[in-house]
Amino acid sequence: MSDRLSRLHLSQLAYLCAALLGFFKHRGFSVSVDIDGEVCRYDDTLFVAVMNEPYEGSGFKFCPQASLYDGQIDSCIAQGIKKTELVHLIPRAMKGHHTSSRGVHMARGRVYRITMNVPVWVQTDGEVAYKSNDISISLLPQAVQFLGL
C-alpha cells in the first residue's frame, strides 16, 4: 500500500502508514545512550532518531531544533509510550510539537554511542541498512565541502 501512495506523491501518508504498522507490531527494547560521555538508559523504547536535520520520513519533524550548521547532533527517543497514545502523538510529531510529550526525550551532542539489548533495524538517510545493537555516531567537521561556480 505504501508503494502505491508514494507513486501518487503521497509519501508522507505512505510513511505514516508504514510507521503505524511498524509501531503496532513493535516490541520495546532497552537502550543505553551515551552522549558526549553522559549516559542515560531507557526501557520499553519505541525508537531512537539521531538527526542533523529537523525532518525525516517525508516531513516528520522529529528533531525540530536540528541544524546542519550548529556542530551538534540532535536526538529524539520515544520510550514507554502506549500504542493507544500514538494516535495523538504522531500528528504532533509531524509538526514538531511532540518534544514535551510524555515519553519523548530530546537531546543534543557531538558524539553518540547507542547500545541496545537486542539488535534493531538501523535506518540511514531513509534506507534500512542493517541490524545492530551497538551504534556510534559523530560529526566530521567540514567533511563535505561544496564549491560554487
Side-chain angles (χ1 to χ4, degrees), residues 49-56 60-76 95-96 98-99 106-109 112 139:
V50 179
M51 305 167 60
N52 64 349
E53 291 186 353
Y55 294 96
E56 177 183 338
F60 283 79
K61 204 170 185 179
F62 287 130
C63 293
Q65 300 301 315
S67 169
L68 290 172
Y69 309 105
D70 65 3
Q72 299 282 311
I73 306 169
D74 290 54
S75 61
C76 175
K95 296 181 179 184
H98 63 293
T99 59
M106 306 299 294
R108 175 177 281 168
Y112 281 71
L139 291 176

Short mmCIF file of all heavy atoms in Angstrom, two decimals, residues 49-56 60-76 95-96 98-99 106-109 112 139:
data_model
loop_
_atom_site.label_atom_id
_atom_site.label_comp_id
_atom_site.label_asym_id
_atom_site.label_seq_id
_atom_site.Cartn_x
_atom_site.Cartn_y
_atom_site.Cartn_z
N ALA A 49 15.77 8.32 17.21
CA ALA A 49 16.12 9.04 15.98
C ALA A 49 17.27 9.97 16.31
O ALA A 49 17.19 10.75 17.25
CB ALA A 49 14.92 9.83 15.47
N VAL A 50 18.35 9.86 15.53
CA VAL A 50 19.51 10.73 15.69
C VAL A 50 19.68 11.45 14.36
O VAL A 50 19.85 10.81 13.33
CB VAL A 50 20.76 9.90 16.05
CG1 VAL A 50 21.97 10.80 16.20
CG2 VAL A 50 20.52 9.12 17.34
N MET A 51 19.62 12.78 14.40
CA MET A 51 19.50 13.54 13.15
C MET A 51 20.31 14.83 13.18
O MET A 51 20.54 15.39 14.25
CB MET A 51 18.02 13.88 12.93
CG MET A 51 17.10 12.67 12.95
SD MET A 51 15.35 13.07 13.07
CE MET A 51 15.08 14.02 11.61
N ASN A 52 20.69 15.30 12.00
CA ASN A 52 21.30 16.62 11.91
C ASN A 52 20.43 17.56 11.06
O ASN A 52 20.86 18.65 10.71
CB ASN A 52 22.74 16.55 11.38
CG ASN A 52 22.84 16.04 9.97
OD1 ASN A 52 21.87 15.54 9.42
ND2 ASN A 52 24.01 16.13 9.40
N GLU A 53 19.23 17.15 10.77
CA GLU A 53 18.21 17.99 10.14
C GLU A 53 16.90 17.74 10.88
O GLU A 53 16.69 16.69 11.45
CB GLU A 53 18.04 17.62 8.67
CG GLU A 53 19.22 18.00 7.81
CD GLU A 53 18.93 17.75 6.33
OE1 GLU A 53 17.89 17.18 5.99
OE2 GLU A 53 19.78 18.15 5.53
N PRO A 54 15.97 18.69 10.84
CA PRO A 54 14.72 18.52 11.60
C PRO A 54 13.80 17.42 11.07
O PRO A 54 13.07 16.80 11.84
CB PRO A 54 14.02 19.88 11.47
CG PRO A 54 15.04 20.83 10.97
CD PRO A 54 16.09 20.03 10.28
N TYR A 55 13.82 17.19 9.76
CA TYR A 55 12.80 16.34 9.15
C TYR A 55 13.29 14.95 8.80
O TYR A 55 14.44 14.76 8.42
CB TYR A 55 12.27 17.00 7.87
CG TYR A 55 11.52 18.27 8.13
CD1 TYR A 55 12.15 19.50 8.03
CD2 TYR A 55 10.18 18.24 8.51
CE1 TYR A 55 11.47 20.68 8.28
CE2 TYR A 55 9.48 19.41 8.76
CZ TYR A 55 10.14 20.62 8.64
OH TYR A 55 9.45 21.79 8.90
N GLU A 56 12.37 14.00 8.88
CA GLU A 56 12.60 12.62 8.47
C GLU A 56 11.30 12.08 7.89
O GLU A 56 10.22 12.53 8.26
CB GLU A 56 13.00 11.76 9.69
CG GLU A 56 13.19 10.32 9.36
CD GLU A 56 13.51 9.48 10.59
OE1 GLU A 56 13.97 10.01 11.60
OE2 GLU A 56 13.28 8.28 10.52
N PHE A 60 8.20 14.42 8.64
CA PHE A 60 8.01 14.30 10.08
C PHE A 60 9.12 15.08 10.77
O PHE A 60 10.31 14.87 10.49
CB PHE A 60 8.04 12.83 10.52
CG PHE A 60 6.77 12.11 10.21
CD1 PHE A 60 6.52 11.67 8.92
CD2 PHE A 60 5.82 11.90 11.18
CE1 PHE A 60 5.34 11.01 8.62
CE2 PHE A 60 4.64 11.25 10.89
CZ PHE A 60 4.39 10.81 9.60
N LYS A 61 8.77 15.97 11.67
CA LYS A 61 9.73 16.86 12.31
C LYS A 61 10.13 16.31 13.68
O LYS A 61 9.82 16.89 14.72
CB LYS A 61 9.10 18.26 12.42
CG LYS A 61 10.07 19.37 12.52
CD LYS A 61 9.36 20.71 12.39
CE LYS A 61 10.34 21.84 12.35
NZ LYS A 61 9.66 23.12 12.22
N PHE A 62 10.86 15.18 13.66
CA PHE A 62 11.23 14.52 14.91
C PHE A 62 12.21 15.34 15.75
O PHE A 62 12.15 15.33 16.96
CB PHE A 62 11.83 13.14 14.64
CG PHE A 62 10.83 12.11 14.20
CD1 PHE A 62 11.06 11.34 13.09
CD2 PHE A 62 9.65 11.92 14.90
CE1 PHE A 62 10.14 10.39 12.68
CE2 PHE A 62 8.72 10.98 14.50
CZ PHE A 62 8.96 10.21 13.39
N CYS A 63 13.12 16.05 15.12
CA CYS A 63 14.11 16.88 15.83
C CYS A 63 14.00 18.32 15.34
O CYS A 63 14.82 18.79 14.55
CB CYS A 63 15.53 16.33 15.60
SG CYS A 63 15.80 14.72 16.37
N PRO A 64 12.99 19.06 15.82
CA PRO A 64 12.71 20.38 15.27
C PRO A 64 13.84 21.40 15.44
O PRO A 64 13.92 22.36 14.69
CB PRO A 64 11.45 20.83 16.01
CG PRO A 64 11.28 19.91 17.14
CD PRO A 64 12.03 18.66 16.84
N GLN A 65 14.73 21.21 16.40
CA GLN A 65 15.83 22.16 16.62
C GLN A 65 17.10 21.78 15.87
O GLN A 65 18.09 22.51 15.90
CB GLN A 65 16.14 22.25 18.12
CG GLN A 65 14.96 22.72 18.96
CD GLN A 65 14.47 24.09 18.55
OE1 GLN A 65 15.25 25.00 18.33
NE2 GLN A 65 13.16 24.24 18.44
N ALA A 66 17.10 20.64 15.18
CA ALA A 66 18.31 20.17 14.48
C ALA A 66 18.70 21.13 13.36
O ALA A 66 17.86 21.71 12.69
CB ALA A 66 18.07 18.78 13.92
N SER A 67 20.01 21.27 13.19
CA SER A 67 20.55 22.15 12.16
C SER A 67 21.85 21.57 11.61
O SER A 67 22.66 21.05 12.36
CB SER A 67 20.82 23.54 12.75
OG SER A 67 21.56 24.32 11.83
N LEU A 68 22.03 21.70 10.33
CA LEU A 68 23.28 21.27 9.70
C LEU A 68 24.45 22.15 10.11
O LEU A 68 25.60 21.78 9.93
CB LEU A 68 23.14 21.32 8.18
CG LEU A 68 22.24 20.30 7.52
CD1 LEU A 68 22.07 20.63 6.05
CD2 LEU A 68 22.81 18.91 7.69
N TYR A 69 24.18 23.32 10.65
CA TYR A 69 25.20 24.34 10.84
C TYR A 69 25.64 24.58 12.27
O TYR A 69 26.49 25.40 12.52
CB TYR A 69 24.71 25.66 10.23
CG TYR A 69 24.22 25.47 8.82
CD1 TYR A 69 22.86 25.47 8.53
CD2 TYR A 69 25.11 25.23 7.78
CE1 TYR A 69 22.41 25.27 7.24
CE2 TYR A 69 24.67 25.02 6.49
CZ TYR A 69 23.32 25.05 6.23
OH TYR A 69 22.88 24.83 4.95
N ASP A 70 25.07 23.85 13.25
CA ASP A 70 25.38 24.15 14.65
C ASP A 70 26.45 23.25 15.26
O ASP A 70 26.80 23.40 16.43
CB ASP A 70 24.11 24.14 15.50
CG ASP A 70 23.44 22.78 15.59
OD1 ASP A 70 23.97 21.80 15.03
OD2 ASP A 70 22.37 22.69 16.23
N GLY A 71 26.97 22.29 14.50
CA GLY A 71 28.00 21.40 15.02
C GLY A 71 27.49 20.40 16.05
O GLY A 71 28.26 19.81 16.80
N GLN A 72 26.18 20.19 16.09
CA GLN A 72 25.56 19.27 17.06
C GLN A 72 24.71 18.24 16.33
O GLN A 72 24.22 18.49 15.23
CB GLN A 72 24.65 20.05 18.02
CG GLN A 72 25.37 21.10 18.85
CD GLN A 72 26.13 20.50 20.00
OE1 GLN A 72 25.61 19.69 20.75
NE2 GLN A 72 27.39 20.88 20.14
N ILE A 73 24.51 17.11 16.99
CA ILE A 73 23.60 16.08 16.51
C ILE A 73 22.43 16.05 17.49
O ILE A 73 22.64 16.04 18.70
CB ILE A 73 24.27 14.68 16.49
CG1 ILE A 73 25.57 14.72 15.69
CG2 ILE A 73 23.31 13.64 15.94
CD1 ILE A 73 26.41 13.46 15.85
N ASP A 74 21.22 16.07 16.99
CA ASP A 74 20.02 16.03 17.83
C ASP A 74 19.45 14.62 17.87
O ASP A 74 19.62 13.86 16.93
CB ASP A 74 18.97 17.00 17.29
CG ASP A 74 19.36 18.45 17.47
OD1 ASP A 74 20.47 18.81 17.03
OD2 ASP A 74 18.59 19.20 18.06
N SER A 75 18.75 14.33 18.96
CA SER A 75 18.12 13.02 19.06
C SER A 75 16.74 13.13 19.69
O SER A 75 16.46 14.05 20.46
CB SER A 75 18.98 12.04 19.86
OG SER A 75 19.18 12.50 21.17
N CYS A 76 15.91 12.18 19.31
CA CYS A 76 14.56 12.04 19.85
C CYS A 76 14.39 10.58 20.22
O CYS A 76 14.54 9.70 19.37
CB CYS A 76 13.53 12.47 18.81
SG CYS A 76 11.82 12.21 19.32
N LYS A 95 4.46 17.94 13.08
CA LYS A 95 4.65 19.39 13.15
C LYS A 95 5.78 19.79 14.10
O LYS A 95 6.06 20.98 14.26
CB LYS A 95 3.35 20.06 13.59
CG LYS A 95 2.24 19.87 12.57
CD LYS A 95 0.99 20.56 13.00
CE LYS A 95 -0.09 20.35 11.95
NZ LYS A 95 -1.31 21.07 12.25
N GLY A 96 6.39 18.82 14.77
CA GLY A 96 7.45 19.13 15.73
C GLY A 96 6.94 19.57 17.08
O GLY A 96 7.68 20.16 17.87
N HIS A 98 5.81 17.51 19.49
CA HIS A 98 5.83 16.34 20.36
C HIS A 98 6.91 16.40 21.44
O HIS A 98 6.93 15.58 22.35
CB HIS A 98 6.09 15.09 19.52
CG HIS A 98 7.42 15.13 18.85
ND1 HIS A 98 7.71 16.04 17.86
CD2 HIS A 98 8.55 14.41 19.05
CE1 HIS A 98 8.97 15.88 17.47
NE2 HIS A 98 9.50 14.90 18.18
N THR A 99 7.81 17.37 21.37
CA THR A 99 9.03 17.35 22.17
C THR A 99 8.81 17.38 23.68
O THR A 99 9.67 16.93 24.43
CB THR A 99 9.97 18.50 21.77
OG1 THR A 99 9.29 19.74 21.96
CG2 THR A 99 10.39 18.35 20.30
N MET A 106 14.37 14.47 24.32
CA MET A 106 15.18 15.17 23.32
C MET A 106 16.56 15.42 23.91
O MET A 106 16.70 15.70 25.10
CB MET A 106 14.53 16.50 22.95
CG MET A 106 13.07 16.41 22.50
SD MET A 106 12.79 15.41 21.03
CE MET A 106 13.64 16.38 19.79
N ALA A 107 17.59 15.33 23.05
CA ALA A 107 18.95 15.60 23.50
C ALA A 107 19.77 16.12 22.33
O ALA A 107 19.34 16.07 21.17
CB ALA A 107 19.58 14.34 24.07
N ARG A 108 20.97 16.61 22.66
CA ARG A 108 21.87 17.17 21.64
C ARG A 108 23.30 16.94 22.10
O ARG A 108 23.61 17.06 23.26
CB ARG A 108 21.57 18.66 21.51
CG ARG A 108 22.49 19.39 20.57
CD ARG A 108 22.07 20.82 20.45
NE ARG A 108 20.94 20.83 19.52
CZ ARG A 108 20.15 21.86 19.33
NH1 ARG A 108 20.32 22.95 20.02
NH2 ARG A 108 19.18 21.80 18.45
N GLY A 109 24.16 16.60 21.14
CA GLY A 109 25.57 16.41 21.47
C GLY A 109 26.40 16.23 20.21
O GLY A 109 25.90 16.32 19.09
N TYR A 112 27.72 10.25 19.84
CA TYR A 112 26.73 9.32 20.39
C TYR A 112 27.26 7.90 20.33
O TYR A 112 27.87 7.51 19.34
CB TYR A 112 25.44 9.35 19.56
CG TYR A 112 24.51 10.50 19.82
CD1 TYR A 112 24.83 11.79 19.42
CD2 TYR A 112 23.29 10.29 20.44
CE1 TYR A 112 23.96 12.84 19.62
CE2 TYR A 112 22.41 11.35 20.65
CZ TYR A 112 22.76 12.62 20.24
OH TYR A 112 21.89 13.65 20.45
N LEU A 139 30.03 13.65 14.35
CA LEU A 139 30.15 14.60 13.25
C LEU A 139 31.59 14.67 12.77
O LEU A 139 32.53 14.54 13.56
CB LEU A 139 29.74 16.00 13.71
CG LEU A 139 28.27 16.21 14.02
CD1 LEU A 139 28.05 17.61 14.55
CD2 LEU A 139 27.44 15.99 12.77
#
